Structure formats: C-alpha cells, structure tokens
C-alpha cells in the first residue's frame, strides 16, 4: 500500500473522543476530499497522518496508520517530513524564515538536498504555484492568499509521497483557488502524489477529487464524491439544487447539473427571484472619498477609492488576493494606515478619535477573530467588552446569546468552534454599538449551515440600522448575504452595484446556482419560487 491507510484508528482528547474506529485506504495518486460539519474533527484526522496528533496535541490514539508503507506510530513529524507534506490552516504560524525563497528552500536544506537540485526544485515550485513575482519579497508583506501558496510550495519542495492540506483555499480568491487546485491535480496525475485535503468550500474542490471521506460523529463514510456528498450534512449548492429538483446522482459539478437543468429552467421561466434587500434611501452613514493606502517599498494597496454607504446596506467587498480589501477596511475603521483621502462616519473621521470612541463609530472583526479575544473565559471577554464599550453590565453576554446558543460562560475562547469564536468576536465588537460594522473574511472555517446562519445574523443587524461591509472571497456567501457588491482590483473600485447584477455579470464571482440557472443566485431563491417555503428558513 503506497498511499495512506487507516486501520481501526481511534483518538480522544482528555474525555472527548474525536475519531472512533476509523478505517480507510487511499491509493497512491488519489485526490481525496475530506468533508464534514464544523467541529467534526477533520483537522485532527489530517494531523494524525504526519504525527502532529498526538505528538504536539496530547490525547490518546490507537490503531495503525501507514503512509507509503511506513508506520506513522512512533514517528515524529520531523521523521516523516520527507514522506508527508502538511499545510495547516494558518500558514504564517508555520513559517520559519522571513522571505519567500528562503522559506521554500528551508525544508530541502534540512533534508540535505544537493544545492543545485534544491535550486531547480524551488524554481519548479515557484512556477507551478505562480510565485515568480513575489519570490524575493518578505513573507510579512504578502497577502493571505500568497502566503497560502508559499506554504503549499514549502510542503512540496521535499518531494513527499503524500500531501495533506487543511482548508488550502480558504484565504484564496476563486481564480487563485482554481490555480492551486489545478496544480494539486497535476501533482496527482503526473507525479502520483497522494493528496488528502479538507475544505469547507466544497464547490471549489469537488470537481478535482477522485474520492471523498465524510467524517461525522467520529465515524467515516468513504466512497465516490457524488455518493458521499449525497448523504453528507454539508454539501455545495449544486448538490442541494440537485436534491431540490430531484436530479439523479445528485450532480456534483456545474457541467453535470446543466445536463439536468432544462426542465427546471422551463419551470422557472417567467418567475422572478425575490429581491434580497432594497438599497435604503436617506443620508449616507459612510462617506469615503479618494482613500489611498501606501506601504513601505512603494506598495500602493488602495488607490483613490470612493465608497458611500447608508444604514441598512449589506455590502460584499470582493476582489482578487492583494486587491486592497483588508487595507480599505482598516482605513475605513480609522486604525489602519491612510495616506490620503477622507473618511467620515456619521460626519466624524474615526482616525481623529481615540480608540474607545473610534469603536463606537466603526467596529472591525479581523480575518482572525481570536485577535480580538484576550481573556481566559467567555464571561471575562464579555465583561471586558462591557467596560470598554461603556455599556451596561451583561450587554455583551446578551448580544452573544442572541447570535448563537450554547456558548458556556466559563469556556476558554480558544476552545470554541470557529462559528462560536466568530460570534464572540462579533458580540464584543457590537457591544460598543457601532453603526458601521466591518468584517474581514468571516466565513473561514465555517460550513454551509454556519455561513447561512451568519448571513442571517448580519441581515438582522442591517435591518436594525447597521451598515454591514464584509470582505470575502466566498462567492456563495456573498450571494446569500449581500444586497450590494463592490469589486476591487489593484486598489480601485472596478464594479459597484446590486448584488444580482454584479455577480451575474462576472464569471469569476458567479455562484454555482447562477451558472446553472442564469438569473438565480441561491438554492433558497429557487426553493421559494417553487413554493417549497424554504426561501427564508435559515436556522441559527
């Protein structure tokens, strides 16, 4: 067996079982997609392949794992570095150097690869992953998507037999994600590398995978991609559309769905999707004019951008990696760099105010919500937010309870699920009651039900009078959440208008349903039009 084999593997943290008698075989050169709800243990399963679990996490493991015939038990991640390449969810946390080319060469150096062979290998990886234009740059100066590609490249330099990746496209725009997945596909077919990959954005990956594993409640279901997704509690929109329409399979790719869609198109002919939200009228809450953001080294991230928005708007800020989305959000909030232009929120420039007052104008939830969380318990976080926001005691805890149920007051924020941690960071931000709410890539780590619940929560905030601006690469979330879409390119606004109009006109940012049924953005819209009554049923 030259691939990855699990034989009756069980694993538990102290008092908390994660894997329960798991057995499966991945042949050499297999591209396998690992799916499952948020918190099912997908990251834990992946980390057992190279020994990160239990060597660095603790816990108790039993059973047998082999990779290319070599036993994993008793080996450390360093022992397996030439055999298993691993890319985690946080690339920056795994880097050991400060420059792109040095990072790519580091693993090869540690394995004693000949310098000439190492240079050749690094150059091949740079070309494979499209890193030529950043190979001499500092890692800290890269966008999150560029860092993700560097991390994948660093794992590939050693020439491993198996490549294990945990949400490798979560920080990538759709085009960059396709480039990375295409590169992985070539590794599988040309070099026989076994790729084992977990991803929440299944619409991106399903077409590339040879097989799938569903992990749920500690158990694994293995099989062809279509069969696994048909029984999975989490599935991409095209699969849900197939289930709704009763298509056989159901289809897992756009091409397959189109072959079944003629009858549904005829049924929907003459029907009009319900409008997401009408653009509110009234005086603008946010007025940003000519905003420019420059960084050292002559890098201009935002180039004279205008953005005017009113209360009640739901705006998805989209664009390729490095287009300036995060820089614009921080400039709008007032904490980030702003080299030129003006920003006014309710007539006040947030950059001229102290941090405490700034938070009452604009709240920003960063791409890593944990960056806002410092206390040892959820209760302490909420109490601190009440003090900082000068809000009555219990305000933050009440907001959190409204956003999500079941968060224990004495739990450590780092022990929460991705969705719970995001809800806590959002509650902390909302405690100061800012009229402008800014979120940077909030759907990372969330499954489809979690994203639907987030869209619903943000929609309620907009209805309550907040202006919500979300930077996102997730086109499916944008279709579900936004009433308006603004697309950036090279720091400039290149498209701005109603979500349906902008998303339908862009092949890069079109959701799956629109590609199958032009003019329709979500499965919920189709269900509502067919009279199934599910158009607005989004559970928290």
């Amino acid at each position: 067996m030259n691939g990855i084999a699990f034989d009756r593997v069980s694993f538990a943290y102290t008092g908390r079982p994660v894997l329960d008698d798991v057995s499966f075989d991945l042949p050499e050169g297999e591209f396998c997609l690992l799916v499952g709800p948020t918190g099912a243990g997908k990251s834990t399963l992946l980390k057992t392949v190279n020994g990160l679990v239990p060597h660095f996490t603790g816990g108790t493991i039993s059973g047998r794992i082999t990779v290319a015939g070599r036993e994993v038990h008793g080996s450390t991640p360093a022992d397996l570095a030439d055999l298993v390449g691993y890319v985690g969810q946080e690339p920056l946390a795994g880097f050991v150097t400060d420059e792109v080319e040095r990072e790519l060469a580091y693993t090869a150096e540690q394995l004693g690869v000949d310098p000439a062979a190492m240079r050749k290998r690094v150059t091949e990886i740079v070309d494979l992953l499209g890193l030529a234009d950043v190979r001499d740059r500092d890692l800290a100066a890269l966008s999150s998507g560029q860092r993700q590609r560097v991390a994948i490249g660093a794992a590939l330099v050693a020439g491993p037999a198996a490549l294990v990746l945990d949400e490798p496209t979560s920080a990538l725009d759709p085009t960059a994600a396709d480039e990375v997945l295409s590169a992985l596909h070539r590794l599988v077919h040309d070099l026989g590398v076994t790729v084992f990959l977990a991803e929440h954005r299944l619409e991106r990956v399903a077409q590339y995978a040879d097989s799938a594993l569903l992990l749920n409640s500690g158990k694994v279901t293995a099989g062809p991609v279509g069969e696994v997704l048909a029984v999975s509690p989490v599935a991409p929109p095209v699969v849900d559309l197939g289930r709704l329409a009763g298509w056989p399979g159901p289809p897992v790719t756009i091409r397959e769905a189109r072959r079944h869609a003629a009858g549904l198109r005829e049924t929907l002919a003459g029907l009009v999707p319900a409008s997401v939200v009408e653009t509110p009228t009234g005086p603008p809450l946010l007025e940003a004019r000519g905003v420019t953001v420059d960084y050292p080294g002559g890098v201009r991230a935002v180039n004279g951008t205008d953005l005017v928005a009113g209360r009640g708007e739901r705006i998805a800020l989209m664009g390729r990696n490095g287009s300036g989305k995060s820089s614009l959000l921080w400039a709008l909030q007032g904490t980030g760099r702003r080299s030129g232009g003006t920003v006014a929120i309710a007539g006040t420039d947030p950059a001229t105010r102290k941090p405490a007052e700034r938070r009452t104008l604009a709240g920003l939830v960063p791409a890593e919500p944990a960056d806002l969380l410092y206390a040892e318990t959820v209760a302490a976080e909420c109490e601190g937010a009440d003090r900082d926001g000068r809000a009555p005691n219990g305000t933050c805890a009440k907001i959190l309870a409204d956003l999500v149920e079941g968060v224990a007051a004495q739990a450590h924020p780092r022990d929460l699920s991705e969705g719970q941690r995001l809800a806590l960071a959002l509650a902390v931000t909302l405690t100061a009651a800012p009229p402008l709410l800014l979120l940077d890539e909030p759907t990372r780590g969330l499954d489809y039900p979690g994203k639907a619940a987030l869209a619903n929560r943000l929609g309620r905030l907009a209805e309550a009078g907040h202006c919500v601006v979300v930077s996102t690469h997730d086109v499916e979330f944008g279709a579900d959440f936004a009433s308006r879409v603004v697309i950036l390119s090279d720091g400039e606004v290149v498209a701005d208008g109603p979500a349906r109009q902008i998303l339908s006109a862009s092949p890069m940012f079109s959701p799956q349903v629109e590609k199958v049924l032009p003019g329709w953005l979500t499965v919920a819209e189709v269900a509502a039009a067919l009279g199934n009554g599910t158009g607005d049923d989004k559970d928290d």
Side-chain angles (χ1 to χ4, degrees):
M1 176 70 186
N2 291 324
I4 300 172
F6 276 52
D7 183 16
R8 306 196 68 177
V9 175
S10 295
F11 175 78
Y13 295 109
T14 304
R16 184 163 61 93
V18 180
L19 305 178
D20 182 10
D21 201 31
V22 169
S23 297
F24 61 85
D25 292 325
L26 300 185
E28 177 184 5
E30 185 90 343
F31 192 134
C32 182
L33 172 61
L34 177 62
V35 303
T38 298
K42 298 186 296 298
S43 296
T44 296
L45 191 154
L46 293 180
K47 290 176 182 176
T48 63
V49 177
N50 74 333
L52 282 170
V53 170
H55 285 281
F56 287 95
T57 63
T60 303
I61 193 168
S62 63
R64 185 182 184 212
I65 303 172
T66 59
V67 180
R70 192 191 303 181
E71 289 273 358
V72 171
H73 180 70
S75 300
T76 67
D79 297 331
L80 298 168
D82 64 325
L83 188 67
V84 182
Y86 176 80
V87 181
Q89 292 182 8
E90 306 301 334
L92 194 58
F95 291 149
V96 294
T97 70
D98 55 2
E99 291 183 4
V100 171
E101 197 157 16
R102 289 181 181 177
E103 186 65 30
L104 293 176
Y106 178 80
T107 300
E109 290 175 343
Q110 299 306 303
L111 294 174
V113 175
D114 176 75
M118 181 172 59
R119 283 194 297 272
K120 178 177 180 292
R121 194 173 295 177
V122 168
T123 298
E124 290 172 345
I125 297 300
V126 164
D127 292 339
L128 180 68
L129 295 177
L131 295 169
D133 57 338
V134 299
R135 66 185 300 168
D136 298 322
R137 288 178 60 181
D138 289 342
L139 291 165
L142 301 183
S143 71
S144 56
Q146 290 166 332
R147 290 173 187 161
Q148 193 85 314
R149 280 184 280 168
V150 172
I152 293 171
L156 289 175
V157 165
L163 188 59
V164 176
L165 307 102
D166 196 356
E167 294 202 58
T169 75
S170 62
L172 302 182
D173 63 67
T175 299
D178 281 343
E179 291 170 355
V180 168
L181 292 169
S182 295
L184 295 175
H185 194 251
R186 290 197 299 273
L187 290 171
V188 168
H189 286 269
D190 296 344
L191 302 180
V193 175
T194 303
V195 172
F196 192 21
L197 179 155
E199 183 61 68
H200 280 304
R201 299 182 187 180
L202 302 178
E203 70 275 3
R204 295 179 167 182
V205 190
Q207 63 181 313
Y208 294 98
D210 301 311
S211 62
L213 291 176
L214 168 63
L215 177 62
N216 199 11
S217 300
K219 299 291 187 179
V220 159
T221 301
V225 179
E227 292 181 9
V228 171
L229 291 181
V231 299
S232 172
V234 291
V238 71
V239 171
D240 286 338
L241 183 65
R243 291 170 176 166
L244 175 69
W247 295 336
V252 298
T253 68
I254 300 297
R255 185 181 182 188
E256 291 171 343
R258 283 175 174 159
R259 292 172 177 170
H260 296 283
L264 183 55
R265 290 195 191 108
E266 291 179 5
T267 301
L268 295 173
L271 299 178
V272 178
S275 177
V276 179
V277 170
E278 295 295 331
T279 300
T281 59
L285 170 69
L286 167 67
E287 289 188 89
R289 305 287 184 183
V291 175
T292 299
V293 177
D294 293 322
Y295 292 103
V299 177
R300 172 157 289 187
V302 182
N303 187 24
T305 292
D306 296 341
L307 183 62
V308 178
R311 291 180 180 272
E313 286 205 75
R314 309 177 188 183
I315 301 174
L317 188 63
M318 308 182 80
R320 295 202 63 170
N321 290 110
S323 61
K325 301 184 299 298
S326 297
S327 295
L328 178 59
L329 289 187
W330 283 102
L332 295 178
Q333 197 269 342
T335 300
R337 182 187 299 264
R338 190 171 90 217
S339 309
T342 61
V343 175
I345 302 172
T348 300
D349 185 344
T352 64
R353 304 301 183 185
K354 293 180 179 180
E357 186 177 354
R358 191 180 300 148
R359 288 194 293 269
T360 67
L361 294 170
L364 195 152
V365 179
E368 298 302 329
D371 290 347
L372 293 182
L373 308 176
Y374 302 100
E376 295 295 318
T377 66
V378 171
E381 285 288 356
C382 289
E383 291 166 4
D386 291 342
R387 288 193 304 272
D388 294 342
R390 300 175 183 176
N393 292 339
T395 299
C396 181
K398 183 178 185 305
I399 294 172
L400 178 61
D402 289 340
L403 291 174
V404 64
E405 297 178 355
V407 180
Q410 296 307 311
H412 195 291
R414 307 282 173 169
D415 292 334
L416 302 179
S417 70
E418 292 286 348
Q420 290 173 329
R421 195 156 49 240
L422 175 62
L424 177 57
L426 189 54
V428 168
T429 302
L430 288 172
T431 300
L436 178 63
L437 183 60
L438 310 167
L439 296 94
D440 194 2
E441 289 292 341
T443 64
R444 291 185 65 184
L446 297 184
D447 57 20
Y448 292 102
K451 290 189 286 190
L454 176 62
N456 194 29
R457 293 168 194 150
L458 296 180
R460 293 201 304 265
L461 291 172
E463 291 168 359
H466 293 271
C467 175
V468 184
V469 182
V470 175
S471 166
T472 184
H473 293 305
D474 191 330
V475 298
E476 303 298 339
F477 175 76
D480 198 20
F481 152 77
S483 59
R484 175 182 167 193
V485 170
V486 177
I487 297 180
L488 293 184
S489 179
D490 296 325
E492 299 179 356
V493 174
V494 295
D496 183 355
R500 191 175 308 280
Q501 172 187 323
I502 300 298
L503 295 178
S504 297
S506 171
M508 178 178 174
F509 295 110
S510 293
Q512 284 197 314
V513 172
E514 207 284 332
K515 292 176 179 177
V516 178
L517 304 171
W520 301 79
L521 298 184
T522 67
V523 176
E525 285 183 350
V526 177
L530 295 177
N532 290 1
T534 59
D536 296 318
D537 293 343
K538 295 175 186 173
D539 295 331
D540 290 342

